[in-house]
């Protein structure tokens, strides 16, 4: 088989890139290791920047997002029983949109299928060859049968555990990583959200986040130990702990119910440099990870897709290679700023095992400064709604 762009990974990055290229008349094939249902079953991101929304519009996939997504003009931050609001629209003129990654992925799959896009599921043993030449190709297996895909370019959209990043030789690749000594226990429940906006809560007992998917679907998280497993937490224990971490006024309003999903995610900051090697380009979690505080993971994937999509359009339209050659540099310049924001916001909101009394005082001082200082709120708002591409 032959195509213009081989895309490894059928998560949001790979699907969005494939659909955007399709709209511009550029062919691609998406190779996904799992089944479509498996990919759609992953409960992940919930907050989209305007840049993401614009890309979905360009991809012709934004109708449901506009109809069902919720615009949020600000967010709440609490510490103990104190709570304040940061107004995104006042500080930046821009809201964010609450619309689940599951729905984004569903919309993109529907669009790819409606356009007869080439998607292969259950692919195994993907190997990328000759990425440093002008004629790369990919070998893989489906049901034990070997296949080969020739292409002009390879987009590595295969997430943190994929093969694309590993294809870049170790003497070229440099990785930067920070692990956090805790995880997030997340619960999805068919209950009305406690507040119509998100609440990021710093409490003596650890971080908590109140988020949502729609008017009757709530998503809550609490900081937990890395040695915990979801089975250690009954629904009752989860709700009790959440209530103790958010301001009393909110806790009193919280509607609880059975969880329909419960999982634990570790927190990590990670960046690989460079994000390209010859004709192989890394996008999204394949190249970088942020801790979820600040909701930047899916949104940074989208900015990579934006740079790569424009570089490929320029190349196929008039043979210009400038975008291709500067992809890594442009993408990384934005990524490091999102890494900084996510690291800062995580450091501000969590309890760390080795935190001293002094460190706790610094967190509170930082929170009180944010509460009272316009410039600090503006900086927070600009980062939260997303820095320009
Ligand atoms: P994905 O979603 O991991 O998709 C990669 C796909 O590649 C496939 N794959 C392979 N396919 C073929 N061959 C191989 N060898 C392969 N290896 C892997 C995988 O099966 C998969 O389908 O990466 P992508 O597309 O870059 O998307 C990234 C986002 O999923 C991720 O950044 C976000 O979910 C992060 N995130 C959040 N981001 C936000 O912007 N806002 C949020 O509110 C937000 N909340 C979150 C989050 C992530 C979380 N977890 C669980 C990590 C909340 C949580 C709890
Ligand atoms: C979510 O709704 O899953 C969510 C929202 C905001 C975050 C992280 C996760 O910062």
């Amino acid at each position: 088989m032959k195509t213009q762009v081989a895309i490894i990974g059928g998560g949001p990055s790979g699907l969005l890139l494939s659909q955007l290229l399709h709209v511009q008349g550029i062919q691609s094939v998406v190779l996904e290791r799992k089944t479509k249902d498996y990919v759609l079953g992953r409960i992940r991101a919930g907050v989209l920047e305007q840049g993401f929304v614009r890309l979905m519009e360009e991809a012709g996939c934004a109708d449901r997002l506009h109809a069902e997504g919720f615009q949020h003009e600000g967010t709440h931050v609490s510490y103990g029983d104190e709570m304040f609001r940061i107004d995104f629209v006042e500080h930046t003129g821009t809201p964010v949109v609450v619309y689940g990654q599951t729905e984004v992925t569903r919309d993109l799959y529907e669009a790819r299928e409606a356009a007869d896009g080439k998607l292969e599921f259950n692919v195994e043993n993907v190997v990328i060859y000759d990425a440093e030449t002008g004629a790369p190709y990919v070998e893989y297996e489906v049901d034990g049968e070997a296949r080969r895909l020739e292409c002009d370019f390879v987009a590595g959209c295969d997430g943190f555990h994929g093969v694309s990043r590993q294809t870049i030789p170790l003497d070229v690749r440099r990785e930067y990583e920070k692990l956090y000594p805790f995880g997030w226990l997340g619960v999805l429940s068919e209950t009305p959200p406690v507040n119509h906006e998100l609440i990021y809560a710093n409490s003596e007992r650890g971080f908590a986040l109140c988020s949502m998917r729609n008017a009757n679907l709530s998503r809550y998280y609490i900081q937990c130990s890395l040695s915990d497993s979801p089975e250690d937490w009954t629904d009752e224990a989860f709700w009790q702990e959440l209530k103790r971490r958010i301001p009393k006024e909110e806790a009193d309003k919280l509607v609880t119910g059975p969880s329909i999903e419960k999982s634990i995610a570790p927190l990590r900051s990670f960046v690989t440099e460079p994000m390209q090697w010859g004709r192989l380009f890394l996008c999204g979690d394949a190249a970088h990870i942020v801790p979820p505080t600040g909701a930047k993971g899916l949104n940074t994937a989208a900015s990579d897709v934006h740079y790569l999509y424009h570089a490929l359009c320029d190349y196929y339209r008039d043979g210009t290679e400038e975008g291709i050659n500067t992809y890594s540099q442009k993408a990384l310049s934005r990524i490091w700023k999102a890494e900084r924001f996510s690291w800062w916001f995580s450091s501000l909101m969590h309890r760390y095992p080795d935190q001293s009394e002094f460190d706790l005082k610094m967190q509170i001082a930082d929170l009180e400064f944010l509460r009272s200082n316009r410039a600090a709120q503006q900086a927070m708002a600009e980062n939260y709604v997303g820095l320009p591409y």
Side-chain angles (χ1 to χ4, degrees), residues 182-188 199 201 203 205-211 219-226 228-230 232-246 254 262-267 292 349-351:
F182 40 74
W184 278 20
L185 168 66
V187 156
L188 191 67
I199 304 172
S203 103
R205 303 180 63 87
F207 171 76
L209 170 62
C210 305
S211 182
R219 181 70 166 157
Y220 296 105
Y221 298 93
I222 55 173
Q223 174 183 350
C224 67
S225 162
L226 278 173
D228 287 1
S229 70
D232 298 337
W233 286 87
T234 61
D235 288 356
E236 183 53 32
F238 177 86
W239 293 121
Q240 256 190 23
E241 188 58 34
L242 177 65
K243 282 185 184 175
R244 294 166 86 167
R245 295 186 186 192
I246 59 178
L254 184 75
K262 199 184 276 163
S263 53
I264 292 183
L267 271 69
M349 300 306 292
H350 291 82
R351 280 288 164 279

Side-chain angles (χ1 to χ4, degrees), residues 273-307:
E273 290 188 345
M275 283 173 58
Q276 73 188 93
W277 184 55
R279 290 189 161 218
L280 166 65
F281 302 88
L282 304 180
C283 284
D285 280 16
H288 41 76
I289 299 286
V290 287
T293 336
K296 290 285 155 256
L298 182 57
N299 290 303
T300 46
S303 60
D304 296 347
V305 167
H306 163 92
Y307 294 123

